[in-house]
């Protein structure tokens, strides 16, 4: 990418020109996102901030880190990616998140919330060791404030003598008019250079005598009282951690933003935080009115009912006769739990971006006697790995885990592909891993787990996507099922293909076409030894296909079985190689990185020819 960055040009614009350019940016983002898919509301809310930020700070000389980074489209547009932005989230195009391999202006890659302040600390300590002085800015939204990583990192700033500058984008915290007015007045005083030089002179005078020190102590107590009663709550929270607080400030007023950004740029007394009031979806009425709906935009018009909604409707159906609690991590809509919540709000608990805490809490809920469900994306569940082992599996607590977005997710790219859960779960004792073949199988497994009351931690993994089905048909056919593997097709016992989970549904035509026996794998742990004993024989071709990393994946169960039983056969494994899968449509990524239909056909054809000789 050899485009000239635009952030130099915006410094020459007057405010009228800047506002026109802001509108141009909003329209460009809207047109691109509706064509390519992507995040809309969050980016519409950061237009003025990014323009003001890059007029005051230099994204080449200063380290600017965007948390989660789904709101960093304007950052990309200003740093040499205006033309290439048209390829947003497309195969071989630019990422929907910051990416250190894409641009020198992307200082830290992201995709999950909560990493920005920790990354900023790392940069600061590393640069300090090299005697390099740079402004380091971390930008995160109020949603990220629920993340443990953010809170842990904020708590460290004062102790490491940090000078990090933080920008908090907030569209949730309400501040009453009176308190807001006082806050505005105190802000004007606090960012005045005259105030700071006067404060230092007074402080020096007071410290020189015993009486002065007593007065200083009394003034400090008065200040603390004002901080916790007159000022808004946010100030108290941050300043108690030793982080100087400024705000709230209108996050859509470029002139006002520049004044505060210039001040924090020159603030050297320690870490500071600038609290901005922003509006998600700013500038487009429909996005402002429904920012959640337009958080992520997809151009795909599909008649398919998503697997997430299948889960939501199934849980809602069961909830009329069974009591339970379901937890999620800031993903009620994404996981389909909003469907359950409409009818049973008391059965859905959203603890924010706190996956490890959710898993631990779920274990205690189950121990209290209430059936418990945890519904989290596969790639987000990685963050709770220790909690799964230490707090759930070790104690054999029978929590039901629903791993949404297991497998290839598509345009969100490598930060979101859920292609490691089989690997990171297979090694844990005392658990069960289920892989339904289709929507009805998914609904039945959820239904069975709750109705029969599982006796061990149970994970049901299912991918992004769905099927052209009627939910009433699914619900009217709910039944108790076992988890035995299913023989989909018996043909040519010399070629046996073990297909994990929903890939059976997704590649129906391929399996019909192959001269092979097709087995639908419905559980990874435990494996179906009855089926293995029947179908794995000497001198045949065994093929495994899974939407997961081959390292630690299902294929290793088959390898172990073959070695343990001293079987002499050919084994071919299809899945994710030792690499991260890029962005692209789900279908093209599955074809190229997982299933590889032409290669499977080639393997079966070639080995069949050799056998016939």
């Amino acid at each position: 990418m050899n485009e000239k960055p635009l952030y130099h040009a915006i410094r020459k614009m007057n405010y009228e020109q800047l506002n026109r350019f802001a509108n141009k940016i909003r329209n460009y983002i809207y047109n691109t996102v509706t064509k390519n898919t992507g995040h809309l509301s969050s980016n519409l809310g950061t237009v003025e901030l990014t323009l003001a930020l890059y007029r005051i700070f230099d994204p080449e000389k200063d380290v600017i880190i965007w948390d989660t980074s789904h709101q960093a489209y304007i950052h990309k547009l200003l740093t040499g990616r205006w033309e290439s932005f048209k390829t947003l989230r497309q195969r071989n195009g630019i990422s929907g998140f910051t990416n250190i391999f894409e641009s020198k202006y992307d200082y830290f890659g992201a995709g999950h919330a909560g990493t920005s302040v920790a990354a900023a600390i790392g940069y600061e300590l590393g640069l300090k060791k090299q005697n390099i002085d740079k402004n380091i800015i971390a930008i995160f939204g109020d949603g990220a404030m629920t993340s443990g990583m953010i809170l842990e990192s904020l708590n460290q700033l004062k102790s490491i003598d940090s000078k990090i500058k933080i920008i908090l984008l907030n569209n949730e915290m309400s501040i009453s008019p009176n308190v807001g007015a006082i806050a505005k007045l105190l802000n004007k005083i606090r960012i005045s250079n005259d105030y700071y030089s006067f404060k230092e002179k007074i402080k020096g005078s007071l410290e020189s005598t015993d009486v002065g020190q007593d007065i200083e102590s009394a003034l400090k107590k008065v200040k603390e009282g004002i901080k916790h009663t007159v000022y808004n709550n946010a100030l108290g929270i941050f300043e108690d951690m030793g982080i100087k607080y400024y705000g709230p400030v209108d996050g859509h007023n470029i002139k006002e933003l520049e004044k505060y950004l210039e001040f924090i740029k020159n603030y050297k007394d320690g870490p500071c935080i600038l609290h901005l009031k922003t509006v998600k979806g700013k500038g487009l009425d429909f996005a402002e009115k429904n920012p959640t709906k337009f958080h992520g935009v997809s151009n795909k018009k599909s008649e398919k009912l998503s697997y997430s909604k299948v889960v939501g409707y199934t849980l809602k159906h069961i909830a009329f006769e069974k009591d339970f609690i379901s937890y999620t991590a800031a993903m009620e809509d994404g996981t389909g739990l909003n469907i359950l919540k409409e009818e049973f709000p008391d059965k859905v608990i959203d603890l924010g971006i706190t996956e490890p805490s959710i898993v631990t809490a779920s274990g205690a809920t189950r121990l209290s006697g209430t059936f418990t469900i945890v519904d989290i994306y596969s790639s987000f569940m990685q963050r709770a790995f220790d909690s799964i082992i230490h707090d759930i599996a070790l104690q054999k607590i029978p929590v039901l885990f629903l791993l949404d977005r297991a497998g290839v997710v598509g345009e969100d790219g490598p930060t979101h592909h859920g292609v490691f859960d089989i690997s990171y779960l297979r090694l844990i004792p005392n658990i069960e891993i289920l892989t339904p073949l289709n929507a009805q199988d998914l609904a039945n497994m959820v239904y069975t787990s709750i109705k029969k009351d599982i006796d061990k931690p149970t994970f049901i993994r299912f991918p992004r996507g769905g099927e052209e089905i009627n939910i009433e048909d699914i619900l009217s056919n709910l039944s108790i099922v076992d988890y035995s593997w299913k023989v989909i097709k018996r043909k040519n016992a010399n070629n046996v293909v073990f297909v994990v989970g929903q890939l059976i549904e997704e590649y129906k035509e391929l399996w019909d076409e192959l001269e092979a026996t097709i087995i639908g794998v419905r559980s990874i742990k435990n494996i179906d030894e009855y089926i293995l004993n029947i179908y794995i024989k000497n001198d045949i071709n065994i093929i495994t296909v899974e939407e997961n990393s081959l390292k630690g994946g299902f294929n290793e169960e088959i390898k172990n079985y073959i070695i343990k039983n001293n079987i002499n056969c050919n084994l071919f494994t299809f899945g994710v190689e030792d690499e991260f899968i890029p962005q692209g449509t789900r279908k093209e990524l599955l074809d190229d990185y997982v299933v590889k239909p032409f290669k499977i056909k080639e393997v079966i054809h070639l080995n069949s020819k050799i056998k016939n000789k």
Side-chain angles (χ1 to χ4, degrees), residues 44-259:
L44 296 179
T46 58
V47 177
E48 287 81 9
L49 161 65
T50 315
L51 289 171
L53 186 69
Y54 289 1
R55 275 163 63 91
I56 301 299
F57 292 94
D58 187 323
E60 185 167 5
K61 295 175 183 174
D62 301 316
V63 178
I64 299 172
I65 299 172
W66 296 83
D67 198 272
T68 315
S69 77
H70 64 303
Q71 80 288 54
Y73 291 0
I74 305 91
H75 155 77
K76 289 180 182 257
L77 292 173
L78 297 180
T79 54
R81 286 166 277 185
W82 183 277
E83 286 302 319
S84 57
F85 189 72
K86 293 168 185 169
T87 69
L88 179 74
R89 292 165 59 91
Q90 293 181 333
R91 189 78 182 273
N92 301 318
I94 67 168
S95 170
F97 304 94
T98 51
N99 184 335
I100 63 171
F101 304 110
E102 184 178 289
S103 170
K104 67 179 180 181
Y105 299 102
D106 292 2
Y107 286 93
F108 203 79
H112 295 187
T115 61
S116 59
V117 184
I121 288 172
Y123 262 105
E124 184 177 48
L125 294 175
L127 292 171
K128 191 182 289 184
K129 197 76 173 170
Q130 303 168 61
N131 294 315
I132 298 172
D133 185 23
K134 287 192 176 191
N135 290 303
I136 299 175
I137 304 102
I139 305 165
F140 59 83
D142 55 305
M145 278 292 289
T146 66
S147 166
M149 278 188 73
I150 285 281
L151 298 173
E152 289 167 8
S153 300
L154 290 174
N155 191 47
Q156 296 299 322
L157 294 180
K158 191 66 177 176
S159 67
I160 61 171
D161 194 27
S162 174
K163 304 291 189 295
I164 287 170
K165 300 157 197 323
I166 295 164
I167 296 173
L168 168 62
L169 310 176
N170 176 10
N171 41 68
E172 295 296 337
M173 294 182 191
S174 60
I175 298 168
S176 66
N178 289 336
V179 174
I182 295 171
K184 205 169 185 181
L185 176 63
L186 291 177
N187 264 318
K188 284 184 179 178
I189 297 170
R190 297 178 99 220
I191 68 168
S192 162
N193 289 325
D194 292 339
Y195 162 70
Y196 263 93
S197 58
F198 174 72
K199 188 181 86 167
E200 290 304 312
K201 286 176 184 175
I202 291 292
K203 185 179 178 184
S205 301
L206 291 174
E207 286 177 345
S208 61
T209 66
D210 290 341
V211 174
Q213 287 172 11
D214 288 341
I215 295 171
E216 185 186 6
S217 177
L219 289 174
K220 188 175 181 182
K221 286 177 182 175
V222 170
K223 176 188 167 188
E224 292 297 311
I226 291 173
K227 183 169 78 177
H228 288 287
T229 55
V230 180
Y231 226 130
N232 57 296
N233 290 336
L235 182 146
I237 293 167
F238 295 115
E239 296 216 351
D240 281 346
M241 289 192 281
I243 305 166
K244 208 69 175 176
Y245 171 91
Y246 300 97
V249 177
D250 181 357
H252 301 292
N253 183 325
I254 295 176
K255 191 172 184 179
E256 186 80 355
L257 281 168
E258 285 183 3
K259 182 171 67 175

Side-chain angles (χ1 to χ4, degrees), residues 307-308 310-319 322 324 337 371 373 375 400-403 434 436 438-454 458-462 478-481 483 522:
Y307 293 119
S308 303
V310 169
V311 166
Y313 282 116
T314 302
L315 291 176
K316 180 180 173 182
H317 180 83
I318 299 168
K322 295 289 282 187
F324 59 83
L337 288 182
F371 191 94
I373 300 164
D375 194 344
L400 176 61
F401 293 89
L402 304 176
L403 293 187
L434 305 178
N438 52 37
Q440 187 68 62
D441 207 21
L442 169 60
N444 287 345
M445 286 185 178
V446 173
Y447 179 73
T448 302
S449 298
I450 299 173
K451 288 284 282 186
K452 286 189 72 176
D453 199 357
I454 53 176
T458 301
F459 293 77
I460 304 177
R461 74 183 303 265
F462 53 96
L478 284 175
S479 60
I480 300 293
V481 294
Y483 307 128
R522 300 175 63 239

Side-chain angles (χ1 to χ4, degrees), residues 393-575:
L394 187 62
Q395 303 185 89
K396 301 181 182 179
I397 305 176
V399 173
L400 176 61
F401 293 89
L402 304 176
L403 293 187
D404 200 327
R405 310 301 202 269
V408 172
V409 296
E411 292 87 350
D412 276 332
T415 55
H416 284 62
H417 293 313
V419 293
F420 302 106
D421 56 81
I422 290 176
S423 302
Y424 69 69
L425 292 173
R426 264 187 71 238
L427 58 85
I428 304 175
N430 301 333
I431 73 166
E432 190 159 48
I433 307 168
L434 305 178
T435 52
L437 305 184
N438 52 37
Q440 187 68 62
D441 207 21
L442 169 60
N444 287 345
M445 286 185 178
V446 173
Y447 179 73
T448 302
S449 298
I450 299 173
K451 288 284 282 186
K452 286 189 72 176
D453 199 357
I454 53 176
D455 59 4
K456 65 174 68 172
T458 301
F459 293 77
I460 304 177
R461 74 183 303 265
F462 53 96
R464 188 174 194 172
E467 296 171 29
E468 292 184 19
I469 45 169
N470 186 318
I471 190 60
E472 294 306 321
D473 292 339
I474 294 286
L475 298 178
S476 62
N477 286 294
L478 284 175
S479 60
I480 300 293
V481 294
D482 63 19
Y483 307 128
S484 58
W485 297 357
K486 186 175 181 181
V487 180
I488 306 299
K489 183 177 81 171
R490 285 187 181 88
K491 190 170 185 180
N492 191 347
N494 289 322
N495 298 312
V496 181
V497 185
F498 293 93
V499 183
V500 174
Q502 187 268 351
L503 288 177
I504 281 287
E505 178 72 26
E506 194 123 1
Y507 281 85
K508 271 182 178 176
E509 292 178 7
L510 174 63
W511 314 133
D512 285 343
E513 189 181 338
L514 294 181
E515 283 286 322
T517 291
I518 310 296
I519 310 291
V521 175
R522 300 175 63 239
S523 63
I524 303 292
K525 194 171 187 179
N526 299 314
I527 60 170
D528 190 336
E529 295 223 4
Y530 175 77
I531 289 285
L532 295 180
N533 290 338
I534 293 173
Y535 289 96
I536 296 187
K537 304 292 183 186
N538 287 322
D539 302 321
I540 69 169
N541 304 310
I542 303 296
I543 297 171
T544 66
V545 188
E546 60 188 304
E547 202 172 340
N548 190 81
S549 171
L550 290 173
K551 287 184 176 293
F554 164 73
N555 67 96
E556 293 190 356
E557 294 286 358
I558 301 301
K559 283 179 191 172
N560 292 340
Y561 178 86
I562 290 169
I563 293 168
K564 180 178 158 187
N565 292 281
N566 198 26
I567 297 170
N568 182 23
C569 63
N570 301 315
L571 176 64
F572 303 90
T573 60
F574 288 80

